Amino acid sequence: MTRVDRWQLPDGVEEVLPAQALIVEGLRRRLLDLYHSWGYRLVIPPLMEFTESLLIGLGRDLDLLTFRMTDQLSGRTLGVRADITPQVARIDAHSLAEVGVTRLCYAGSILHTRPKSLMASRSPIQLGAELYGDSSLAADVEIIRLMLATLDSAGLQDVTLDLGHVGVYEAVLAAAELDQEQEATVFDALQRKSRPDLALALAGSPAAVVELITGLLDLHGDENVLARARQQYQQRAPAALAAVTALEQTAAAIRRQRPQLGIYFDLAELRGYHYHTGMVFAAYVPGHGQALANGGRYDDVGKVFGRARPATGFATDLKALTTLLPLAQTDRGAISLPPSEDPALLVRVEQLRAAGEVVIHSLAGKHDPRCNRQLVEQQGEWLLQPLESD
């Protein structure tokens, strides 16, 4: 009989222990306060929903990541959310149904059937913000600035902003006039940035088409990329120029507030291509291969809920963010509370806790190991005194 370690968790699922949990919760509160100060209202969607509403609008990847079960009340299929974005889209389109711009934010656990990347968690804490009802570039810029402010608030430095636009690929694809099967093969090769596979996918295509599509792989780097793209597609895929202009304007707007920010352009970035409809963006820091936050424009995602609305937003994994931060330092330690029912002592304890101090009962006469001070009564007053180590 196989021995089962009852303490063992599934691969990719982890618990958050006290030292790390202190950081996670502190950052969650700080970021939700930040979003509130920008006018984003908090929503708390349910952990599970019917799959008919949970698995729409964000492509097949979300379908594969979602755990399913049968609802014993209705007999219908439920899904445990693998992404909160479609839930917030439903809230905007149906539950709120407001006129004009709606700004919403959220924070909550999600669950994946498999890790999204090699080192990724299957139980992230997703936190993000969404802006509905405005299709302008200014809305994208606002969301990008809020994403960068999120990383600032987390204390992360040397951030690089990665910008792309699905309109470039769409224009190139339209100009190439590939059939549906070849389109899928080309998309797969481009998504993996595989030049050999792209060459195989385009085997037999006219040289002009091969050059047109393969050129996307070289369009990544600093602002010079945009000038090269404009020159490359001006005659052969002119519809791409509007996307290039949008990238230029977005980068200029971000640089006005952050002149030292590193901005990287990748015109073959196809992450989320099947649901993004415009600008896509992500934030990276040195030494961490995965994006710490990413997002983009996904207009009309609420159409299935009865209202097609412009939409842009971003999300981050709170647990991934906090793994890059040092453990919280409790410099002040804690205060040991003696076993006494003196009303004056209880008043003093309330004052200390209200001031942010940690006050811990000394059960059975033993001080909690975190305590470095204690409350001692002197002439009817309860005073703080250093607590000597045992």
Side-chain angles (χ1 to χ4, degrees):
M1 184 174 180
T2 305
R3 180 173 174 264
V4 176
D5 291 320
R6 300 187 181 210
W7 49 264
Q8 201 168 33
L9 292 172
D11 289 344
V13 175
E14 59 285 315
E15 56 203 358
V16 184
L17 299 178
Q20 194 72 31
L22 186 63
I23 303 173
V24 171
E25 179 60 15
L27 184 58
R28 185 191 70 85
R29 295 180 191 182
R30 191 158 71 246
L31 292 177
L32 289 180
D33 285 345
L34 170 70
Y35 302 162
H36 175 75
S37 74
W38 282 54
Y40 288 75
R41 295 175 291 163
L42 178 66
V43 292
I44 306 176
L47 183 62
M48 62 183 182
E49 292 194 35
F50 293 121
T51 51
E52 292 94 334
S53 61
L54 198 62
L55 300 181
I56 50 176
L58 295 190
R60 184 171 177 268
D61 290 348
L62 186 62
D63 188 35
L64 295 175
L65 287 172
T66 301
F67 280 99
R68 291 171 175 79
M69 68 194 79
T70 300
D71 180 14
Q72 300 205 9
L73 294 182
S74 67
R76 295 167 62 187
T77 303
L78 295 171
V80 178
R81 65 187 181 198
D83 192 318
I84 299 178
T85 300
Q87 296 183 293
V88 182
R90 174 184 54 74
I91 288 172
D92 169 70
H94 178 73
S95 304
L96 289 176
E98 297 173 335
V99 176
V101 174
T102 298
R103 292 175 171 87
L104 300 174
C105 64
Y106 58 85
S109 293
I110 58 176
L111 196 61
H112 293 160
T113 55
R114 63 189 74 181
K116 293 180 79 171
S117 61
L118 187 62
M119 300 302 292
S121 169
R122 288 204 293 156
S123 58
I125 300 176
Q126 186 179 342
L127 178 141
E130 317 286 339
L131 191 156
Y132 299 93
D134 191 298
S135 59
S136 72
L137 207 59
D140 292 312
V141 170
E142 177 179 319
I143 282 290
I144 293 170
R145 285 174 172 161
L146 184 55
M147 180 180 74
L148 295 172
T150 295
L151 302 185
D152 288 343
S153 188
L156 297 173
Q157 299 177 343
D158 298 325
V159 173
T160 296
L161 174 64
D162 187 294
L163 288 178
H165 198 298
V166 300
V168 175
Y169 174 69
E170 287 175 341
V172 168
L173 203 63
E177 297 182 335
L178 304 177
D179 61 46
Q180 192 171 1
E181 184 179 346
Q182 195 175 19
E183 233 181 74
T185 311
V186 165
F187 174 83
D188 181 62
L190 278 174
Q191 194 173 35
R192 292 183 288 108
K193 304 288 196 292
S194 173
R195 197 175 294 270
D197 286 345
L198 187 59
L200 284 173
L202 293 171
S205 298
V209 169
V210 173
E211 185 183 353
L212 183 70
I213 294 178
T214 305
L216 281 169
L217 289 176
D218 298 317
L219 291 176
H220 58 87
D222 60 18
E223 277 89 344
N224 293 324
V225 164
L226 302 183
R228 283 166 36 214
R230 191 174 289 281
Q231 183 179 13
Q232 195 165 311
Y233 296 127
Q234 192 159 7
Q235 298 298 326
R236 297 159 64 187
L241 301 187
V244 173
T245 298
L247 289 168
E248 289 171 340
Q249 293 174 347
T250 300
I254 298 298
R255 285 208 185 280
R256 281 195 287 273
Q257 285 191 353
R258 296 172 175 262
Q260 303 305 317
L261 178 70
I263 300 181
Y264 185 88
F265 298 90
D266 187 351
L267 303 195
E269 175 53 69
L270 299 178
R271 180 190 64 250
Y273 169 73
H274 293 299
Y275 63 90
H276 279 138
T277 59
M279 194 82 62
V280 290
F281 37 85
Y284 294 84
V285 294
H288 191 79
Q290 301 298 318
L292 283 177
N294 54 57
R297 178 160 289 280
Y298 52 102
D299 291 343
D300 299 340
V301 70
K303 184 178 182 180
V304 292
F305 301 115
R307 280 210 314 168
R309 297 249 283 167
T312 182
F314 78 93
T316 184
D317 175 7
L318 200 54
K319 287 199 290 190
L321 276 186
T322 55
T323 59
L324 301 179
L325 306 180
L327 292 180
Q329 300 297 314
T330 53
D331 293 334
R332 289 192 299 181
I335 300 166
S336 183
L337 174 62
S340 170
E341 296 297 327
D342 183 353
L345 174 61
L346 301 181
V347 170
R348 179 78 168 115
V349 168
E350 287 180 5
Q351 292 171 343
L352 288 167
R353 285 174 174 159
E357 294 281 5
V358 176
V359 185
I360 305 174
H361 285 273
S362 57
L363 299 176
K366 294 182 179 179
H367 302 296
D368 187 282
R370 290 168 287 175
C371 294
N372 58 1
R373 291 160 293 161
Q374 62 182 330
L375 282 162
V376 176
E377 196 234 347
Q378 289 185 357
Q379 299 179 346
E381 250 186 289
W382 289 93
L383 304 177
L384 282 176
Q385 289 186 358
L387 183 64
E388 295 182 5
S389 301
D390 295 334

